Amino acid sequence: MELKTKVTAEEGKQELIVTREFDLPLDLLFRAYTEPELVAEWMGTKVLKLENKKYGSWRFETTDPQGNKHGFSGTIHDFVPNQKIVRTFEMENSGFGVQLEFLEFEQLTDNTSKLRMHIIYKTLEERAQYLQIGMARGMGLAHNRLEKAAFKFLKY
Amino acid sequence: MELKTKVTAEEGKQELIVTREFDLPLDLLFRAYTEPELVAEWMGTKVLKLENKKYGSWRFETTDPQGNKHGFSGTIHDFVPNQKIVRTFEMENSGFGVQLEFLEFEQLTDNTSKLRMHIIYKTLEERAQYLQIGMARGMGLAHNRLEKAAFKFLKY
């Protein structure tokens, strides 16, 4: 399956730019990042906390096939509905560091929209670690699930 | 006056490394970043909020000679007493972006300690903006005030 998500890792910069166009209206794309039920479906996580507000925080948890729990969490620095979310992100107890993510949501047409993520890392090495574990492909596949889950959600 | 604070801006990297050794015990240096009364004194700000905990947030405010108020605020991603604070930082309504700051506190001797700040910016241009407004010298002077304020605090 073609991955529509583009991940740009410019040489020597401690950042990633991720862009993706969705066959979803803007408000539904935004809901896929903010409604616990939808987030849980496409990310495959339990949504333990998701405070959609400036100075809020969030925490998700997955369980691997061996039954081990893995937590992901962070704070929400900024939150503007249908426009942007600025948040920190950390894979807990993973040896990976804390990153800062700028998510920008944009309407393209009535039925299509675009997500742009600008992720900054403490070091070049941390960015390399994320790329090495297949983050680019993983995100592309997750975005495919997002589109499918959100579309289904619409019809309910 | 010699500035003991060293600011390193490596060419082409969207980060700053700030280091400073203080003639203060570690716990007192940490208090200078976490006790509202002390923060207010050396930063010259009102401390409107300072939630010293993981997933907390903070907000400071200064008033310029013309009477205009300037806000600074962010979230606290991580908080380990006498060891580290990971926080976001933004000068509100300034045109400057959101940055992520890693503060590490280290004991050198019973009476001396070290602060290392690793600040990452969304872009190289944002880092350049901060340097241009005299951030390096400003921080050095502020750290001198910190040392003085904390020392006085000890004797009370």
Side-chain angles (χ1 to χ4, degrees), chain B residues 13-77:
Chain B
K13 300 193 81 170
Q14 62 217 73
E15 67 179 21
L16 288 178
I17 309 290
V18 179
T19 56
R20 166 84 180 217
E21 295 184 12
F22 290 90
D23 291 328
L24 297 170
L26 172 62
D27 68 323
L28 190 53
L29 173 60
F30 194 76
R31 283 168 62 194
Y33 278 86
T34 51
E35 285 197 13
E37 190 185 340
L38 244 174
V39 171
E41 184 167 343
W42 73 266
M43 292 198 67
T45 57
K46 273 192 191 171
V47 175
L48 302 178
K49 181 170 58 168
L50 184 51
E51 298 170 338
N52 292 310
K53 60 177 185 184
K54 195 170 171 74
Y55 307 142
S57 63
W58 62 276
R59 186 161 191 274
F60 304 160
E61 195 178 75
T62 56
T63 305
D64 68 22
Q66 287 74 42
N68 304 307
K69 292 181 189 306
H70 301 280
F72 306 80
S73 61
T75 58
I76 298 171
H77 177 97

Side-chain angles (χ1 to χ4, degrees), chain B residues 47-132:
Chain B
V47 175
L48 302 178
K49 181 170 58 168
L50 184 51
E51 298 170 338
N52 292 310
K53 60 177 185 184
K54 195 170 171 74
Y55 307 142
S57 63
W58 62 276
R59 186 161 191 274
F60 304 160
E61 195 178 75
T62 56
T63 305
D64 68 22
Q66 287 74 42
N68 304 307
K69 292 181 189 306
H70 301 280
F72 306 80
S73 61
T75 58
I76 298 171
H77 177 97
D78 210 351
F79 186 89
V80 182
N82 294 331
Q83 285 185 41
K84 70 172 173 179
I85 299 170
V86 180
R87 67 183 184 191
T88 61
F89 176 100
E90 182 178 15
M91 287 171 59
E92 300 170 3
N93 308 311
S94 66
F96 287 76
V98 184
Q99 64 201 46
L100 182 60
E101 303 185 339
F102 301 81
L103 284 73
E104 294 163 18
F105 300 85
E106 185 192 346
Q107 175 172 319
L108 297 176
T109 68
D110 283 352
N111 296 305
T112 60
S113 53
K114 185 177 174 181
L115 168 70
R116 181 182 191 274
M117 290 180 72
H118 187 148
I119 308 173
I120 56 177
Y121 297 88
K122 193 176 181 186
T123 63
L124 272 173
E125 292 69 27
E126 284 185 12
R127 185 187 74 166
Q129 271 185 302
Y130 269 100
L131 291 171
Q132 201 169 14

